[in-house]
Amino acid sequence: LSGSFSIAPEKENASLFGARIGFAPFELSVSQFSYSRNQVGVFQSEGSGYFGGDLFSGSITTNSTLDIDATKIMAGIDVVNTSIARVGLLAGFDVLSFNQFSFTAGPLNQNVLDNQEVPVPIIGLRGDIAIPGTNISLGAEITGMSMDVDGIEASFFDHDINLSMEIVKNAEVVVGYRTMNIEIDGRIDDVQIQNMDLSMSGPYFGVSVYF
């Protein structure tokens, strides 16, 4: 497969879950974000390219499938821990699991990435602050890293800001906004990826239970 493919912006519902355990000032957290979508786009070749082993030139209308999981595993330590605010330093990995990344044009099908993983080391900062006179807190987590290891250049940035409001003892409703950006240039196993730039962002809501 040689050529370029662009995906137009689209909206999709996705799932996110996570858990955190620790004893101040230390903590360990695990979360997973899943995204899956089928979408029509255009596969473009400058000059001549190959699709499904066949030579072509110009452009081909193509169906794309992207199914990806991002599993974040972080260890943290508080540098500020008061009854009003917490600030912590984070370090860990985000494992990008490409369950399926493929293209279909008519009878031709081309898998690009199939059940392949890219572990990206990341560092970051987490903080939250209670709003005085309310049962609402404002939180944020900023993580990311750029790396150049074993012939692959990759960067991953994940920013999250949220509001939490306690509704009953040990339970909160959470609303927030999260943006993720993935850039990959290099070889994943036996697949050469050139200039992949994938961004996902949007609002979310959920329930947090704590003990």
Side-chain angles (χ1 to χ4, degrees):
L1 177 70
S2 63
S4 63
F5 183 78
S6 60
I7 301 176
E10 288 286 351
K11 294 182 179 179
E12 179 76 15
N13 294 325
S15 61
L16 166 69
F17 65 89
R20 177 181 289 122
I21 186 172
F23 297 93
F26 302 103
E27 69 173 35
L28 177 67
S29 64
V30 178
S31 65
Q32 186 177 72
F33 173 86
S34 299
Y35 178 88
S36 179
R37 185 167 182 85
N38 298 314
Q39 191 170 335
V40 176
V42 175
F43 196 85
Q44 184 77 34
S45 174
E46 296 181 3
S48 60
Y50 285 90
F51 189 98
D54 289 352
L55 183 67
F56 79 99
S57 61
S59 61
I60 302 176
T61 300
T62 308
N63 292 312
S64 67
T65 299
L66 176 62
D67 185 346
I68 185 174
D69 296 328
T71 304
K72 182 190 291 187
I73 304 170
M74 304 292 289
I77 181 170
D78 289 339
V79 293
V80 174
N81 190 338
T82 70
S83 59
I84 298 177
R86 291 180 65 200
V87 177
L89 301 177
L90 303 172
F93 287 88
D94 209 310
V95 181
L96 306 178
S97 301
F98 290 90
N99 304 314
Q100 185 180 5
F101 183 30
S102 64
F103 302 112
T104 302
L108 302 177
N109 179 264
Q110 178 73 59
N111 283 327
V112 181
L113 297 171
D114 186 15
N115 293 322
Q116 288 164 295
E117 294 184 340
V118 181
V120 181
I122 53 177
I123 57 175
L125 187 69
R126 169 196 50 74
D128 57 78
I129 184 170
I131 300 176
T134 72
N135 56 352
I136 299 174
S137 61
L138 173 65
E141 183 172 301
I142 299 173
T143 57
M145 178 69 79
S146 293
M147 69 174 190
D148 185 356
V149 179
D150 294 333
I152 182 171
E153 296 179 17
S155 66
F156 180 85
F157 293 97
D158 186 350
H159 300 161
D160 182 347
I161 185 169
N162 59 77
L163 282 172
S164 301
M165 182 175 68
E166 189 176 54
I167 48 175
V168 295
K169 185 179 180 180
N170 296 337
E172 298 174 324
V173 292
V174 183
V175 294
Y177 192 90
R178 185 174 182 180
T179 178
M180 301 169 63
N181 179 256
I182 304 165
E183 295 183 13
I184 296 175
D185 190 356
R187 184 172 294 276
I188 301 176
D189 295 336
D190 59 347
V191 179
Q192 182 72 28
I193 301 293
Q194 291 184 323
N195 301 323
M196 174 188 282
D197 187 350
L198 179 64
S199 296
M200 295 172 283
S201 62
Y204 67 88
F205 66 93
V207 175
S208 174
V209 178
Y210 55 92
F211 304 95

